[in-house]
Amino acid sequence: MKFYSTSSKNIQVSFEEAVWQGMAADGGLFVPETIDQLPENFWRNFFQKSFHQISFEVASHFLKGALPDDDLKKIIYQALVFDAPLVKVESTIFALELFHGPTLAFKDFGARFLAAVLGYQTARKQEEITILVATSGDTGSAVAHGFFNLPGIQVVVLYPSGKVSESQEKQFTTLGGNVTALEVEGTFDDCQRLVKQAFGDGEIKRKRILTSANSINIARLLPQMFYYFRAFQQLPQGTSQPVVISVPSGNFGNLTAGLWAKKMGLPVDRFVAATNINDVVPEYLRTQIFKSIDSKTTISNAMDVGDPSNFTRMMALYSRDHAALTKDVSGYKFTDEETVKAIREVYRAFNYIMDPHGAVGYLGLKKYLTSSNFSSIGIFLETAHPAKFKETVEKSIATSIQLPEPLLKLMSKEKKTICIKNDFMELKEYLLNSD
Ligand SMILES: *Cc1c(COP(=O)(O)O)cnc(C)c1O
């Protein structure tokens, strides 16, 4: 099975190479050559299979032998150590809770799977690698936890001093071990620039093998297919109505994984691309014109993306056919006011607490269901634990919420960082002189 670059079909690499490179040399993203329907026997006993078993069968079919079965199984068992429960919110509306991992957001699925794949590759190659990642908060914590204590892997997280929330900061500055946090006197963009410079520096490259754990890596996307299947397993027995899934979106990785799952035969009637006011994709669906924007700040800040990276993968999947895409996907955008109102109303009416991202997904689902003539079952993805956005959520529902156990434990731990100036030489010195 080959993976090709969305910028040029001539660039074709193996799965392992695609994971190693992250992004194709021409700036495109790797996508599979073909995605085939799962065989009949996948669906036989579907409801009796474990989450691990389903995930293994989906991954194995998707990768078509790129990894030996036994190794793939080990990777899945190592990565998937928490479930994705489907929780009833209203009579025909369910939340797929993706926040039961160590950093309480769905990015744990991708980060842990990527870590397991890279760990497997470095063990076989007998190499040491350094994961270098810039973060504005969530990516750093998911990556740091995913790679924590893996042999042969060093993790270096750069983050802007004073610009991430305390609970986010604790998630990647208290681990120790193979995780080092560099606290940069600068902005997130500065951190990203420093990382880019390091990747281009010959001297650093001679000393270390640098890899990125970027969200565009195919190994972060692949495991995001698993939980769409897991959602169907948990629908009430005998469900016969069409199923609509709403995905709160920023870089559109989650939605792309869902569309891949549909292509493999998951019977999703329609997807909803739900965004905050950074609505590049809903605008494309409406007008056929893709126009990136400067991102605007909102309360669902993990979706403040003005130039969504995975859009190119969606285009590749639908061969740039707008009509075909709009047959499967509807798009809506929502303001912060609407989001707050939804959090409040769903709490009051159904006693369910949504985070701002899940709330955008919920709104998208409602909007589609109201506009369609069918009676459907609706699922929205709840991508983060509400306590990660404590302030916004508490204000919305006028009630205080508890920090979950893993976050509480972290808050009492001491932060350990190395402070550096916004100066490439300081980063370089660190990378050359530490082991
Ligand atoms: C990253 C993130 C999103 C957006 O997911 P994409 O795959 O980038 O569309 C949504 N919600 C939360 C909580 C996130 O962290």
Side-chain angles (χ1 to χ4, degrees):
M1 172 68 157
K2 291 281 184 203
F3 289 79
Y4 69 88
S5 161
T6 51
S7 299
S8 155
K9 281 224 169 183
N10 296 328
I11 297 190
Q12 295 201 357
V13 300
S14 67
F15 174 66
E16 294 198 47
E17 196 53 42
V19 174
W20 202 253
Q21 290 183 19
M23 183 186 277
D26 62 357
L29 305 195
F30 289 115
V31 289
E33 212 175 6
T34 57
I35 298 175
D36 301 331
Q37 292 261 334
L38 284 153
E40 283 279 322
N41 65 17
F42 172 82
W43 298 105
R44 231 170 277 145
N45 305 324
F46 174 68
F47 291 95
Q48 276 80 53
K49 288 176 184 168
S50 68
F51 191 12
H52 283 147
Q53 182 64 26
I54 292 185
S55 303
F56 167 69
E57 289 183 33
V58 167
S60 156
H61 186 74
F62 185 83
L63 293 173
K64 297 197 179 82
L67 296 176
D69 278 358
D70 282 345
D71 296 335
L72 183 57
K73 261 185 202 157
K74 276 186 209 145
I75 288 168
I76 284 169
Y77 275 72
Q78 183 186 330
L80 281 191
V81 291
F82 46 91
D83 201 2
L86 189 73
V87 175
K88 190 170 178 170
V89 176
E90 300 177 25
S91 62
T92 54
I93 292 191
F94 297 82
L96 181 65
E97 293 187 348
L98 303 177
F99 54 73
H100 295 278
T103 73
L104 310 173
F106 85 89
K107 290 190 174 68
D108 282 327
F109 282 96
R112 289 188 65 85
F113 190 84
L114 172 63
V117 173
L118 281 177
Y120 162 78
Q121 292 183 350
T122 50
R124 275 195 329 169
K125 293 184 183 169
Q126 300 258 312
E127 282 172 337
E128 286 256 335
I129 58 168
T130 302
I131 308 284
L132 192 59
V133 61
T135 186
S136 55
D138 274 353
T139 301
S141 44
V143 167
H145 278 262
F147 287 84
F148 181 53
N149 268 346
L150 285 189
I153 299 183
Q154 291 293 321
V155 181
V156 180
V157 179
L158 278 79
Y159 75 102
S161 180
K163 294 195 174 64
V164 307
S165 77
E166 194 191 350
S167 63
Q168 283 177 326
E169 185 177 39
K170 293 269 184 180
Q171 287 186 316
F172 52 81
T173 59
T174 57
L175 286 166
N178 63 336
V179 178
T180 305
L182 299 183
E183 186 170 357
V184 180
E185 273 179 36
T187 63
F188 169 62
D189 291 335
D190 294 329
C191 296
Q192 238 175 350
R193 198 174 34 75
L194 292 175
V195 165
K196 249 195 195 148
Q197 251 176 304
F199 276 101
D201 188 281
E203 231 178 309
I204 295 174
K205 273 196 213 157
R206 278 191 292 282
K207 158 100 193 204
R208 288 171 179 267
I209 302 173
L210 289 184
T211 308
S212 114
N214 211 298
S215 66
I216 54 175
N217 197 302
I218 186 95
R220 281 187 58 175
L221 222 55
L222 196 167
Q224 293 178 221
M225 284 190 287
F226 304 160
Y227 45 71
Y228 287 96
F229 290 91
R230 180 82 184 107
F232 269 73
Q233 261 195 326
Q234 299 172 82
L235 283 171
Q237 290 273 322
T239 296
S240 58
Q241 300 100 306
V243 174
V244 177
I245 301 184
S246 177
V247 186
S249 295
N251 270 316
F252 284 82
N254 232 349
L255 181 60
T256 302
L259 294 170
W260 286 352
K262 181 171 164 71
K263 185 100 195 231
M264 289 177 88
L266 189 72
V268 183
D269 192 59
R270 177 167 289 266
F271 283 96
V272 177
T275 70
N276 57 33
I277 53 169
N278 295 286
D279 62 344
V280 173
V281 172
E283 271 303 285
Y284 168 76
L285 294 170
R286 200 171 65 81
T287 62
Q288 292 197 43
I289 298 165
F290 181 86
K291 207 163 124 237
S292 62
I293 55 174
D294 290 332
S295 67
K296 300 176 210 102
T297 306
T298 74
I299 55 169
S300 46
N301 58 18
M303 311 198 301
D304 295 349
V305 179
D307 191 6
S309 50
N310 283 293
F311 183 72
T312 168
R313 283 187 166 127
M314 290 166 62
M315 288 286 97
L317 183 63
Y318 285 87
S319 309
R320 311 200 151 268
D321 182 344
H322 179 267
L325 181 62
T326 50
K327 250 172 110 179
D328 287 351
V329 184
S330 303
Y332 306 109
K333 70 153 169 193
F334 300 94
T335 63
D336 280 356
E337 291 70 35
E338 291 170 302
T339 308
V340 165
K341 190 161 164 257
I343 296 174
R344 179 183 312 126
E345 289 180 354
V346 167
Y347 176 65
R348 286 205 185 135
F350 308 106
N351 203 26
Y352 186 81
I353 304 178
M354 302 188 294
D355 96 289
H357 304 79
V360 169
Y362 171 85
L363 282 166
L365 184 60
K366 280 297 230 194
K367 190 148 183 171
Y368 175 74
L369 292 178
T370 323
S371 74
S372 87
N373 299 319
F374 310 103
S375 70
S376 310
I377 296 277
I379 298 172
F380 66 97
L381 305 193
E382 205 2 317
T383 46
H385 192 292
K388 285 199 96 168
F389 302 90
K390 200 168 183 299
E391 233 173 83
T392 305
V393 174
E394 288 184 337
K395 239 190 254 163
S396 309
I397 64 176
T399 307
S400 64
I401 52 175
Q402 292 282 315
L403 285 186
E405 194 60 27
L407 259 189
L408 263 183
K409 268 199 202 138
L410 276 184
M411 296 313 272
S412 59
K413 285 198 185 161
E414 202 183 328
K415 128 180 174 185
K416 283 196 207 81
T417 65
I418 296 173
C419 296
I420 66 169
K421 295 223 167 63
N422 175 19
D423 173 359
F424 178 61
M425 285 318 290
E426 291 206 15
L427 173 62
K428 182 163 173 171
E429 207 162 293
Y430 171 78
L431 290 173
L432 290 180
N433 298 322
S434 64
D435 357 83

